[in-house]
Amino acid sequence: MPLAAIILAAGASRRLGHPKQLVKFGGETLLERAIRLAAEGGASPVITVLGAHFIEICAAIPQDDSIRVLNDRWETGIASSIHTGIHLLDSILPDSPGTLIMTCDQPRLTAVHLRALLGVFDAQAEPSVVASAYAGAVGIPAAFPRSIFPRLRQLQGDQGARSLLVNPPCPMIAVKFAGGEVDIDEPADLARLE
């Protein structure tokens, strides 16, 4: 069974000053790119968790291949978006083996890397976390087995999944992701991309 992807895209992009989800990169928005890469990487279905700028984003990207869900508690932090994505996944695929958690603001991400992550996840004999390794740390995109869902549901506020990667509750495998540390948070980050 393919692993579902949950794209966390609910933030307000306050430091950037406008919705990063709609930033154009390589002829498509960062959000469209993330959805495409998740699907090309082998994830199915692709769940997009939106929050801030919901109407603007839906109007700018009227059609895509993801299942959109509104996190109406997005202002409480990224943990609420993880909860929203997992809740939807449980309702549509209660037997899914786990989920791939990713964001839309890593411009160096490729479908090749996602395929590698998912391939390693599928190859494990026991439930394991498979995370991306970059800049001397592990982070997202990362694949989490269903056995970790209760721990993901316990996250609070701005605590993302990184805490479970730093101290994993099950075996963890890291897959190298060159450029994974590059993300879009501020106008200077955009300038460096161009």
Side-chain angles (χ1 to χ4, degrees):
M1 175 183 286
L3 211 62
I6 297 174
I7 301 175
L8 306 176
S13 312
R14 287 186 185 94
R15 287 183 289 168
L16 188 60
H18 52 91
K20 72 171 72 173
Q21 299 91 327
L22 299 180
V23 167
K24 290 281 192 173
F25 178 63
E28 59 191 339
T29 67
L30 288 176
L31 183 55
E32 288 170 317
R33 182 176 186 277
I35 293 165
R36 177 179 58 79
L37 291 176
E40 289 177 0
S44 179
V46 177
I47 296 168
T48 304
V49 181
L50 299 173
H53 314 292
F54 180 77
I55 293 171
E56 182 181 352
I57 291 167
C58 289
I61 309 173
Q63 297 282 326
D64 64 47
D65 295 325
S66 74
I67 301 167
R68 294 179 185 177
V69 59
L70 172 63
N71 172 15
D72 56 9
R73 299 183 318 112
W74 65 269
E75 290 180 276
T76 65
I78 196 167
S80 66
S81 288
I82 294 171
H83 302 163
T84 299
I86 288 176
H87 181 74
L88 177 61
L89 177 58
D90 277 346
S91 69
I92 60 174
L93 277 178
D95 297 328
S96 69
T99 188
L100 172 70
I101 294 182
M102 53 187 282
T103 60
C104 69
D105 67 347
Q106 289 178 299
R108 302 292 179 244
L109 184 61
T110 65
V112 170
H113 177 68
L114 294 177
R115 275 194 297 275
L117 273 179
L118 296 179
V120 170
F121 183 87
D122 286 342
Q124 300 313 303
E126 62 181 315
S128 303
V129 173
V130 181
S132 300
Y134 46 85
V138 289
I140 58 171
F144 295 89
R146 175 165 284 283
S147 61
I148 302 299
F149 283 14
R151 299 288 292 270
L152 290 168
R153 286 190 189 94
Q154 290 172 358
L155 298 172
Q156 297 293 320
D158 277 325
Q159 182 184 33
R162 184 176 297 272
S163 61
L164 297 180
L165 301 177
V166 171
N167 190 13
C170 67
M172 187 181 72
I173 299 103
V175 177
K176 188 172 167 60
F177 172 16
E181 69 280 4
V182 178
D183 62 9
I184 309 296
D185 286 321
E186 301 176 355
D189 299 329
L190 275 180
R192 281 193 287 273
L193 280 183
E194 296 164 1

